[in-house]
Amino acid sequence: MTNIYCSQGHQNPSGSRFCLQCGDKIANVPTSGNQGIQPGQTLGDRYVIIRQIGQGGFGKTYLAEDINRFREACVLKEFSPQVQLSAITSDSRRQLGNYTGNERAIWQFKINKINVGSRSLYDLGDAAFLHEFPEQKGKSFIKQPIGQVWYAFVNDQFNAILDKSIFEKIVFPEGATGKTVNGSLQPGRGKVFIAGLAKDQNMEVKLEANSKVLLSIYSPSGKNPLLEDSQKRTISATLSEKGFYEFVVVSTASEPVDYQLTVTAENPPEPEPTETPSQTPTAEPIPTETPTPEGNY
């Protein structure tokens, strides 16, 4: 006989309409495959579903008992076939379920060669992922099943950086102290720029864009970020490091938006020379004759 469970997890004989312990109505006994997973259902001849305990953009979570382990309580996660993954390339989709921390190490190693850091990559990946799954914002999902989808989005951004479709190096024209770049961003998309700058230069950055466009600026070492996911539109700073600075723009808007980014960097002014005060020569003492003492004759 297959036991069934009420919404509180109480066990009841098969066919029960009300829980024998709490009186809860048992109305969700599955009668067809179209109703999905229901309390009392046994999956794989091993897991007895007690009740649903969570739901997110990637599927549902259930409390269950493992028949093969003395009815030990466990949690099962159901992949939702309604989840749309069309925003991910087929190559990245094929790897779902197989992503590990090794990918992150590979991504970092390869993009560091073109002076892009992992923070910039993750900014782009987060923007694409959260556009499709906004309910995951602020949650710790990397080790959850939906974390595999995040990996897939980041993998797409990694490949796009390498093929330079979302990566650009800013080079100032000869004799100029700045440059302006512009473009259009699709919803949930972004672009990373790098510029080689010197320590102690005075840098000014100006972004003209919709308030839904966020700006991040990272130093060459990554230890001194100037901005992170900011709506700030102008910033001035004296640079503390020499090397390639990263400028990341991402869109959280629901429609395409235009942007214009201007970066200027000037060397600090040379200090004005100051006169060294001349020293007053010390007068040499005039020797005086020592009188000859009179002797007694």
Side-chain angles (χ1 to χ4, degrees):
M1 182 185 302
T2 300
N3 292 316
I4 59 176
Y5 295 78
C6 72
S7 62
Q8 303 303 312
H10 300 142
Q11 180 176 304
N12 294 271
S14 177
S16 300
R17 297 183 60 189
F18 295 91
C19 177
L20 300 179
Q21 296 186 50
C22 67
D24 186 36
K25 185 177 180 181
I26 303 174
N28 289 325
V29 179
T31 58
S32 71
N34 294 331
Q35 295 184 13
I37 297 176
Q38 302 293 330
Q41 186 174 349
T42 302
L43 301 179
D45 295 324
R46 178 173 179 176
Y47 300 102
V48 178
I49 301 300
I50 297 177
R51 66 178 183 276
Q52 180 180 325
I53 57 175
Q55 182 172 350
F58 199 57
K60 300 177 181 178
T61 306
Y62 298 88
L63 177 65
E65 289 183 346
D66 189 343
I67 298 174
N68 294 350
R69 294 178 64 86
F70 306 101
R71 291 194 170 274
E72 181 180 275
C74 60
V75 174
L76 300 182
K77 297 181 183 296
E78 175 195 22
F79 174 80
S80 172
Q82 286 75 35
V83 171
Q84 299 297 322
L85 301 179
S86 59
I88 304 173
T89 63
S90 57
D91 287 343
S92 293
R93 282 202 304 269
R94 277 194 290 269
Q95 297 182 58
L96 287 170
N98 297 312
Y99 289 108
T100 67
N102 292 334
E103 273 75 22
R104 302 178 77 166
I106 294 171
W107 294 335
Q108 182 173 352
F109 175 75
K110 291 188 175 181
I111 62 175
N112 283 173
K113 289 185 175 181
I114 57 173
N115 300 300
V116 176
S118 56
R119 283 188 179 183
S120 295
L121 171 62
Y122 297 152
D123 282 350
L124 297 168
D126 286 347
F129 173 75
L130 294 175
H131 175 69
E132 300 295 332
F133 301 95
E135 73 279 359
Q136 296 299 326
K137 186 173 183 178
K139 295 182 179 180
S140 179
F141 53 76
I142 295 298
K143 295 183 179 180
Q144 303 301 321
I146 198 169
Q148 288 290 303
V149 180
W150 177 84
Y151 271 102
F153 275 103
V154 177
N155 191 56
D156 278 348
Q157 302 307 303
F158 163 73
N159 290 324
I161 289 175
L162 293 187
D163 68 23
K164 298 185 178 180
S165 61
I166 60 169
F167 167 71
E168 183 178 337
K169 183 177 180 180
I170 296 175
V171 179
F172 296 169
E174 186 175 353
T177 58
K179 185 175 181 179
T180 296
V181 292
N182 53 59
S184 180
L185 299 175
Q186 296 297 316
R189 301 300 170 179
K191 189 167 184 176
V192 56
F193 300 88
I194 64 170
L197 303 173
K199 184 179 179 180
D200 294 329
Q201 280 189 310
N202 297 320
M203 182 186 72
E204 183 175 354
V205 179
K206 182 179 181 181
L207 176 64
E208 296 180 28
N210 183 296
S211 61
K212 294 292 186 178
V213 176
L214 305 181
L215 174 64
S216 298
I217 304 175
Y218 300 113
S219 65
S221 68
K223 297 178 180 179
N224 302 299
L226 281 75
L227 289 178
E228 291 186 87
D229 293 330
S230 176
Q231 292 182 324
K232 197 171 182 178
R233 290 298 175 254
T234 59
I235 181 174
S236 299
T238 300
L239 303 181
S240 61
E241 300 179 34
K242 174 184 177 181
F244 284 95
Y245 283 75
E246 301 164 56
F247 307 85
V248 187
V249 288
V250 298
S251 173
T252 62
S254 57
E255 56 187 20
V257 293
D258 296 330
Y259 69 91
Q260 179 173 288
L261 179 70
T262 301
V263 179
T264 59
E266 298 181 350
N267 293 324
E270 295 288 339
E272 294 184 5
T274 56
E275 294 183 2
T276 302
S278 57
Q279 295 182 351
T280 303
T282 304
E284 295 185 7
I286 300 174
T288 57
E289 294 184 1
T290 304
T292 303
E294 296 182 0
N296 295 325
Y297 297 98

